[in-house]
Amino acid sequence: DQQVKQNSPSLSVQEGRISILNCDYTNSMFDYFLWYKKYPAEGPTFLISISSIKDKNEDGRFTVFLNKSAKHLSLHIVPSQPGDSAVYFCAATRNNNDMRFGAGTRLTVKP
Amino acid sequence: ETGVTQTPRHLVMGMTNKKSLKCEQHLGHNAMYWYKQSAKKPLELMFVYSLEERVENNSVPSRFSPECPNSSHLFLHLHTLQPEDSALYLCASSHAQWGTGELFFGEGSRLTVL
């Protein structure tokens, strides 16, 4: 039962352009959503999060949008930089012991 | 010392071997987790320990046996594994009472079962 889905396994964008990574979830009980970034040979690292009571959270070049009615969230990176090339995991949780992850989207930012 | 350290980074074992993965966190957290990452699949939560008590076991086969002797250390004991158990095993830690829900991951232990 995959409750968090990232339907695009990969995304390629040009440096300086916007990267938009998408995530869908099925469990309406999720109340907190997170994005993690993973470089090869490293563990995932936390990037940005959003509570279900909000619809937008911004941190520098990274913005996460939440559409609860559509059970959809997205991560916008603008402007994209080559160092942003990594695998991005969407995650959702409904209590502090049950975090579910998507399969990840590999972002490649071309110089 | 990095926040969450996993050893060994790579492990190759036969199906009849017994081995263990070790995780140590230096962040003062009191919850620790084992996740399994298989190719092109979501991270799968295996075990959760909060305040050294196991609170989650997501129907993991008994050939995987966790141990949490204290809030800083977590082990995953492996016994008679199958080739399909080959994967990246990630340890993570957090505060048991989360504010942001953020997990801190180790670099993972890449397991290959022959």
Side-chain angles (χ1 to χ4, degrees):
Chain A
D1 178 25
Q2 193 171 336
Q3 299 185 39
V4 178
K5 297 181 182 179
Q6 293 177 256
N7 293 319
S8 297
S10 63
L11 174 69
S12 181
V13 300
Q14 205 67 36
E15 180 178 9
R17 299 291 185 101
I18 184 171
S19 295
I20 300 176
L21 296 99
N22 293 303
C23 177
D24 296 295
Y25 62 95
T26 58
N27 189 341
S28 59
M29 298 298 291
F30 287 139
D31 57 9
Y32 209 86
F33 304 88
L34 307 93
W35 284 94
Y36 286 80
K37 177 179 180 180
K38 185 181 185 300
Y39 291 118
E42 295 183 11
T45 55
F46 170 75
L47 184 59
I48 192 169
S49 62
I50 187 167
S51 165
S52 60
I53 63 173
K54 296 185 176 181
D55 56 17
K56 177 183 175 181
N57 187 28
E58 189 173 354
D59 183 3
R61 298 185 296 113
F62 303 91
T63 303
V64 56
F65 295 92
L66 176 62
N67 183 335
K68 287 192 294 295
S69 61
K71 295 189 179 67
H72 177 83
L73 67 157
S74 60
L75 174 68
H76 293 209
I77 306 173
V78 56
S80 301
Q81 299 173 355
D84 296 328
S85 297
V87 177
Y88 289 79
F89 291 97
C90 170
T93 182
R94 60 178 173 87
N95 62 48
N96 292 338
N97 294 323
D98 190 9
M99 186 173 291
R100 302 293 176 127
F101 286 81
T105 296
R106 181 177 300 280
L107 173 66
T108 303
V109 180
K110 298 180 179 179
Chain B
E1 282 286 357
T2 56
V4 181
T5 304
Q6 290 187 239
T7 55
R9 294 292 308 278
H10 299 273
L11 178 63
V12 179
M13 59 186 290
M15 289 190 286
T16 58
N17 292 158
K18 288 184 180 180
K19 297 285 185 183
S20 296
L21 306 180
K22 178 183 176 182
C23 177
E24 184 174 359
Q25 60 96 1
H26 307 276
L27 300 170
H29 291 159
N30 47 23
M32 297 187 76
Y33 312 77
W34 280 115
Y35 279 88
K36 176 183 178 182
Q37 185 185 11
S38 302
K40 300 182 181 178
K41 290 185 178 180
L43 275 72
E44 300 172 50
L45 178 64
M46 299 176 72
F47 299 104
V48 180
Y49 277 83
S50 179
L51 300 172
E52 299 166 38
E53 296 290 328
R54 187 192 303 182
V55 296
E56 183 87 14
N57 175 355
N58 275 359
S59 302
V60 179
S62 59
R63 56 185 184 270
F64 295 92
S65 174
E67 178 189 1
C68 187
N70 55 60
S71 61
S72 298
H73 294 86
L74 183 66
F75 295 89
L76 187 62
H77 302 300
L78 315 171
H79 176 51
T80 59
L81 295 191
Q82 304 298 312
E84 58 265 28
D85 297 321
S86 298
L88 180 68
Y89 289 85
L90 290 161
C91 173
S93 70
S94 73
H95 293 291
Q97 300 299 325
W98 292 351
T100 65
E102 179 182 349
L103 296 178
F104 292 78
F105 285 89
E107 295 175 322
S109 294
R110 173 73 61 186
L111 173 67
T112 302
V113 182
L114 302 176

